[in-house]
Amino acid sequence: MELRVLKYFLAIAREQGITRAAEVLHITQPTLSRQIAELEEELGVQLFDRSGRRIQLTDEGILFRRRALEILELVDRTREEMTEQDERIEGTVSIGCGVLHAFQMLSEVIGRFRERYPQVHFQIHTGNADDVRQRIDQGLLDLALFIEPVAAETYNYVRFPEKELYGVMLPADSPLAAKEAVTVDDLAGLPLCLPSRLSVHSEVMNWFQSAKQPLNIPFTSNLSTNAAMLVAHHLAVAIIALGSQPYADPAKIALRPLSPELAETAILAWRRQQPYTRAVKKFIAFAQEEIPKTSTSRAE
């Protein structure tokens, strides 16, 4: 017995005729007659007295109308309750990340999500990529911000529309701060602080392939915050993801992009075949829809 057929039955009872009910339901009269005949056969009773000009309910039909109304009311109430429960979703979503430009876009998505689900809390764990990957693989984090590539067989993910641009972090009084972009030749002979993560370090070294003299690399760092302190003390200039220093003090630090451009794609990832809470599932679905259309202005 389908809910659709119950609605057909109630329409006939209300209109007291198959022709008029078929018009109201926007189906053909033969289809409606067949559906009601099958319903009566299934129940083993006659629901309508068809002997007069108008179709009348039998005693069994009157009882069935009462039950049909109760069933449809219960369905509507259940649907409303499920919707209300959905709106009252509670829980915690844990996200691991480094300090990236993508997190500014993710913050916008989180803000819009919490407007809809204000009882969901977010736990942000900041660390380097290796630390974050270890935590998500151990189930200590629900999602993570990564720079591609990632193991596609391990994670599902959604890409951010804006690239993570790499650049140089300089003392504010450096002559290079007057340039719009910094080249390999501009950095010749200067003490450098490079990212210590192997994959990023390799990309940066590839960018330096055209260097005409050996590089001077006295420092590596896994977080740009410590690199910024070296820069502020005039100990080095640092190659960093520019989004990792969105609020750098311009009196001490200058940020300039590299030329030619060096950029990577950021993703929000979560493990495949992992059981998640309703709050996490809701956020994943929301992020998949919202992240591709999210962008934000970059720090100058």
Side-chain angles (χ1 to χ4, degrees), residues 162-197:
E162 294 183 7
K163 296 282 189 177
E164 291 290 331
L165 294 178
Y166 283 84
V168 61
M169 180 164 52
L170 306 154
D173 58 1
S174 168
L176 294 181
K179 297 177 64 70
E180 292 186 3
V182 174
T183 67
V184 170
D185 293 338
D186 291 330
L187 298 174
L190 295 179
L192 300 173
C193 178
L194 300 189
S196 59
R197 183 186 173 202

